[in-house]
Amino acid sequence: MAIKVHGSLLSTATMRVLACLEEKELDYEFIPVNLRAGEPKKEPFLSLNPFGQVPVLEDGDLKLFESRAITTYIAYTYAKNGTPLISQDPKKMAMVFVWMEVEAQRYENAAAKLTWELCIKPITGRATDDAVVEEYEAKLATVLDVYEDRLANSKYLGGDCFTLADFHHLPTLNYLMGTKIKALFDSRIHVNTWCADILARPAWKKAFAMKDNK
Amino acid sequence: MAIKVHGSLLSTATMRVLACLEEKELDYEFIPVNLRAGEPKKEPFLSLNPFGQVPVLEDGDLKLFESRAITTYIAYTYAKNGTPLISQDPKKMAMVFVWMEVEAQRYENAAAKLTWELCIKPITGRATDDAVVEEYEAKLATVLDVYEDRLANSKYLGGDCFTLADFHHLPTLNYLMGTKIKALFDSRIHVNTWCADILARPAWKKAFAMKDNK
């Protein structure tokens, strides 16, 4: 039975899962969920995710939510397919987990807020709150200063190879590249090189192109 | 060489790591870091964690920060010691990862804010902001409603066994049990049973007792 992804192409979390399946060269069926109609907050979706948010992955009888848990499951379960995304060396994997946490707890906190204010609100006809943008721009800059130091000594955040630690950044990074926040990434030489590298990955381009083909 | 933990017993993230080492019955050296003196924001600590926060774990030449990355490393590397905390079954481990994400992204968001307002601010002579408490109390209640449904059908959040998914809650849960927020846990029968179970774990009690012995 093919893997199924219930989600929305507007959702950064859904894009994270779709791009992961592309990196692993796995076949899947995409089942669109209508966010504007409030479908995630109603049955039958709530039985898939009681928090009422996309995406949900079905792999046989297994039903998973939380995008980073899904990508971790895919990376471990389909370790031999496509791009590894994890390390089999426990010490190297420990560093991948460290930078996965940094993304989830520090980068995402600022990046998601900025994506919401500068990208999603304008799309949905709401006004951007400039004070919020200023606050989270400063927070993101602090995180990127640490990234700049790390990437001066390591090709990728998790180590020498592209892993989930880098990969998880892609959906919000892609959105922010279309805003004034791009300057924060461009002005840091190692961050800039890293961004160009990971945004150019064919799997990401393929997942992102689904938006245009819809 | 023994495992070293640089941290503070006031820090919930440090307590998470110490209790994990107790669950795994591992020897370790605790190296206190003085938060009030701003030690985490200065060298030599910044070389251990560029974000300037406790805890940091040293295991031989490996230096790790981010408490949940540290516990995940310990659980995988010392899988055969003490309490397993992870599952060797990929599908069962997928569910553990789902509920680890729920804790980190949803529970912690509310619980950490409430712990700060109701526990840490009073200790450090600052006034609690009642409006913030009200806002995050409502958010925590929504998360606990989902927990109540989950725990009606599963002894622990991640499945049949106690894992990192439950374990990661302990430090803030312990703080909140001493506040009016306890009522949110007490009023949900399955959540209440789960709380009593995990708070009674000898490893947690041993780590927590370090505060009294200091």
Side-chain angles (χ1 to χ4, degrees):
Chain A
M1 185 162 36
I3 291 169
K4 293 178 187 173
V5 180
H6 303 258
S8 161
L9 299 178
L10 275 178
S11 141
T12 52
T14 300
M15 293 305 295
R16 191 174 287 121
V17 168
L18 296 178
C20 183
L21 292 165
E22 295 292 347
E23 286 283 1
K24 304 303 285 183
E25 298 167 14
L26 293 165
D27 289 331
Y28 60 92
E29 178 188 355
F30 176 62
I31 301 165
V33 177
N34 191 330
L35 302 188
R36 291 191 191 186
E39 280 182 14
K41 305 293 181 193
K42 302 174 196 165
E43 291 295 353
F45 191 87
L46 277 179
S47 294
L48 292 171
N49 179 1
F51 291 102
Q53 289 184 341
V54 290
V56 165
L57 179 124
E58 288 190 81
D59 189 5
D61 58 355
L62 191 67
K63 294 171 177 63
L64 302 175
F65 53 96
E66 296 292 342
S67 66
R68 292 170 184 82
I70 294 172
T71 57
T72 304
Y73 164 75
I74 294 169
Y76 274 98
T77 306
Y78 299 100
K80 291 181 180 166
N81 296 59
T83 312
L85 296 178
I86 53 171
S87 173
Q88 296 299 328
D89 177 297
K91 290 195 172 186
K92 288 185 178 173
M93 193 57 209
M95 291 310 294
V96 174
F97 275 126
V98 166
W99 291 92
M100 283 168 70
E101 280 297 308
V102 169
E103 183 278 331
Q105 302 287 344
R106 300 176 191 274
Y107 169 86
E108 172 74 0
N109 179 267
K113 206 85 173 178
L114 290 165
T115 300
W116 172 249
E117 289 293 337
L118 293 168
C119 306
I120 310 294
K121 276 173 99 174
I123 291 172
T124 54
R126 279 169 279 190
T128 296
D129 184 329
D130 292 333
V132 171
V133 171
E134 196 176 334
E135 178 187 350
Y136 285 90
E137 193 174 351
K139 287 185 178 177
L140 183 60
T142 306
V143 174
L144 293 184
D145 283 342
V146 175
Y147 280 26
E148 182 66 4
D149 285 346
R150 170 70 178 163
L151 294 167
N153 299 301
S154 177
K155 186 171 181 190
Y156 293 101
L157 288 175
D160 296 337
C161 300
F162 177 77
T163 64
L164 289 178
D166 310 288
F167 172 78
H168 284 171
H169 290 76
L170 279 167
T172 47
L173 189 60
N174 199 100
Y175 264 117
L176 293 175
M177 287 295 116
T179 72
K180 65 172 185 171
I181 302 300
K182 183 174 188 291
L184 291 186
F185 296 91
D186 289 353
S187 59
R188 291 164 174 84
I189 184 167
H190 300 292
V191 169
N192 187 35
T193 304
W194 170 77
C195 283
D197 180 338
I198 69 173
L199 283 165
R201 293 190 68 82
W204 172 249
K205 293 194 168 208
K206 194 170 169 192
F208 193 71
M210 288 174 70
K211 282 190 177 185
D212 301 325
N213 298 337
K214 200 176 170 278
Chain B
M1 186 160 38
I3 291 170
K4 293 179 188 172
V5 180
H6 303 257
S8 162
L9 299 178
L10 276 177
S11 140
T12 52
T14 300
M15 293 305 296
R16 191 174 287 123
V17 168
L18 296 179
C20 183
L21 291 165
E22 295 293 346
E23 286 283 1
K24 303 303 285 182
E25 298 167 13
L26 293 166
D27 288 331
Y28 60 92
E29 178 188 353
F30 177 63
I31 301 164
V33 178
N34 190 330
L35 302 188
R36 292 192 189 185
E39 279 182 14
K41 305 294 180 193
K42 302 174 196 165
E43 291 296 352
F45 191 87
L46 277 178
S47 294
L48 292 171
N49 179 0
F51 291 102
Q53 289 184 341
V54 291
V56 165
L57 179 125
E58 288 190 81
D59 190 3
D61 58 355
L62 192 67
K63 295 173 178 61
L64 302 176
F65 54 95
E66 296 292 341
S67 66
R68 293 170 183 83
I70 294 172
T71 57
T72 304
Y73 164 75
I74 294 169
Y76 274 98
T77 305
Y78 299 100
K80 290 181 180 166
N81 295 61
T83 312
L85 296 178
I86 53 172
S87 174
Q88 296 299 328
D89 177 297
K91 290 195 173 186
K92 288 185 178 172
M93 193 58 209
M95 291 310 294
V96 175
F97 275 125
V98 165
W99 290 93
M100 283 169 68
E101 281 297 309
V102 169
E103 183 278 332
Q105 303 285 346
R106 299 177 192 273
Y107 169 86
E108 173 74 1
N109 179 266
K113 206 84 173 180
L114 291 165
T115 301
W116 173 250
E117 289 294 336
L118 294 168
C119 306
I120 310 294
K121 277 172 99 175
I123 290 173
T124 54
R126 279 169 278 191
T128 296
D129 184 330
D130 292 334
V132 171
V133 172
E134 195 176 335
E135 178 186 350
Y136 285 91
E137 193 174 351
K139 287 185 178 177
L140 184 60
T142 305
V143 174
L144 293 184
D145 283 342
V146 175
Y147 280 26
E148 181 66 4
D149 285 346
R150 170 70 177 163
L151 293 166
N153 299 301
S154 177
K155 185 171 181 191
Y156 293 101
L157 288 176
D160 296 336
C161 300
F162 176 77
T163 63
L164 290 178
D166 310 287
F167 172 77
H168 283 172
H169 291 77
L170 279 167
T172 47
L173 188 61
N174 199 100
Y175 265 117
L176 294 175
M177 286 295 115
T179 72
K180 66 171 185 171
I181 302 301
K182 182 174 188 292
L184 290 186
F185 296 90
D186 290 352
S187 59
R188 291 165 173 84
I189 185 167
H190 300 291
V191 169
N192 187 33
T193 304
W194 170 77
C195 284
D197 180 338
I198 68 174
L199 284 165
R201 294 190 68 82
W204 172 249
K205 294 195 167 205
K206 195 171 169 192
F208 193 70
M210 289 174 71
K211 283 190 178 185
D212 301 327
N213 298 336
K214 198 176 171 280

